[in-house]
Amino acid sequence: MTTKAKHPPTVIAIDGTAASGKGTLARKIADHLKFAYLDTGLLYRATAFTVLNKSSFNGKINENLAVKAAKSFLPETMNNPELREELVGHLSSRLGAMKRVRQALIKRQRDFANRPPTDSKGVVMDGRDIGTVVFPDADLKLFMTASAEERAQRRYKELIERGDAVNYEDIYNNVVERDLIDTTRKDSPLVKAKDAIEIDNSQLTLDGQFHTILQLVKDKLAGRS
């Protein structure tokens, strides 16, 4: 008696610009499908947070220290709410431009997807280079974007509701700066994969995005059965 070969985990890659809402959407899709979810941006933020909290950090990035932090930070670090602070986000973008840091975190991402928690049948991963570098053979690739103004407004609203003292202009400038860093870095710049489906959600509700993408996922899964 032969047994049917087990499919490797389905990989849904959701890339896009900073503050484009890809994380919220990816988590919603993963919950609905009962897939494992990984916010890969938090890997970079956890690395940045670890570097910032080293007593030897003086504002200048020591690449060896950053690589060590990328390899060694504990998974629970990703649950720390301090990772959402603007300083951590700014440093994470700088670390993301370092090839050896990216290589260390790419390994962690691939390990997660190849052996997802609780033996999930698939994973949803969001980031900047999932469909182009981490998993170029992902089953479904999406690229989320929105205008810089819209993304800054969303981020501003999030921080204000959290009680942070921020102003819109600073948030907007940070979004523009992160776009520049992400799209011009030498290693794994932010680009849309040729076979990715681009979705500009500037004028879309979360529910609208969810139902559109859920149908794309269902079509893809049906093709694998």
Side-chain angles (χ1 to χ4, degrees), residues 126-221:
D126 73 81
R128 303 287 197 279
D129 61 353
I130 310 303
T132 54
V133 176
V134 184
F135 279 100
D137 296 324
D139 296 280
L140 178 64
K141 301 177 187 178
L142 304 170
F143 189 87
M144 310 297 298
T145 189
S147 67
E149 292 82 3
E150 177 63 26
R151 289 182 284 132
Q153 186 60 46
R154 292 172 184 172
R155 181 64 175 155
Y156 174 76
K157 181 179 178 182
E158 175 189 348
L159 294 174
I160 288 294
E161 290 178 348
R162 200 174 69 182
D164 292 357
V166 294
N167 66 72
Y168 172 81
E169 185 176 354
D170 288 343
I171 299 298
Y172 174 80
N173 289 337
N174 181 258
V175 166
V176 172
E177 181 181 14
R178 289 179 66 183
D179 283 352
L180 180 63
I181 292 173
D182 289 341
T183 57
T184 61
R185 64 181 177 232
K186 183 177 180 180
D187 188 56
S188 302
L190 171 65
V191 293
K192 182 178 80 70
K194 292 181 179 179
D195 53 347
I197 299 171
E198 182 170 351
I199 298 176
D200 186 326
N201 63 22
S202 298
Q203 304 300 321
L204 294 177
T205 64
L206 178 58
D207 281 345
Q209 297 172 63
F210 171 73
H211 290 297
T212 297
I213 292 172
L214 184 60
Q215 188 58 55
L216 294 173
V217 173
K218 288 181 176 178
D219 291 345
K220 179 61 65 174
L221 294 180

Side-chain angles (χ1 to χ4, degrees), residues 15-46:
D15 291 312
T17 51
S20 59
K22 60 186 179 296
T24 301
L25 182 64
R27 190 178 295 105
K28 189 176 178 68
I29 293 291
D31 287 345
H32 182 84
L33 298 173
K34 294 182 171 54
F35 280 9
Y37 165 66
L38 179 63
D39 177 351
T40 64
L42 284 181
L43 294 174
Y44 290 90
R45 285 177 175 266

Side-chain angles (χ1 to χ4, degrees), residues 101-116:
V101 172
R102 298 197 69 82
Q103 289 174 335
L105 294 180
I106 285 172
K107 182 181 185 305
R108 295 186 75 148
Q109 293 168 56
R110 288 175 175 164
D111 287 347
F112 178 91
N114 290 328
R115 294 183 293 276

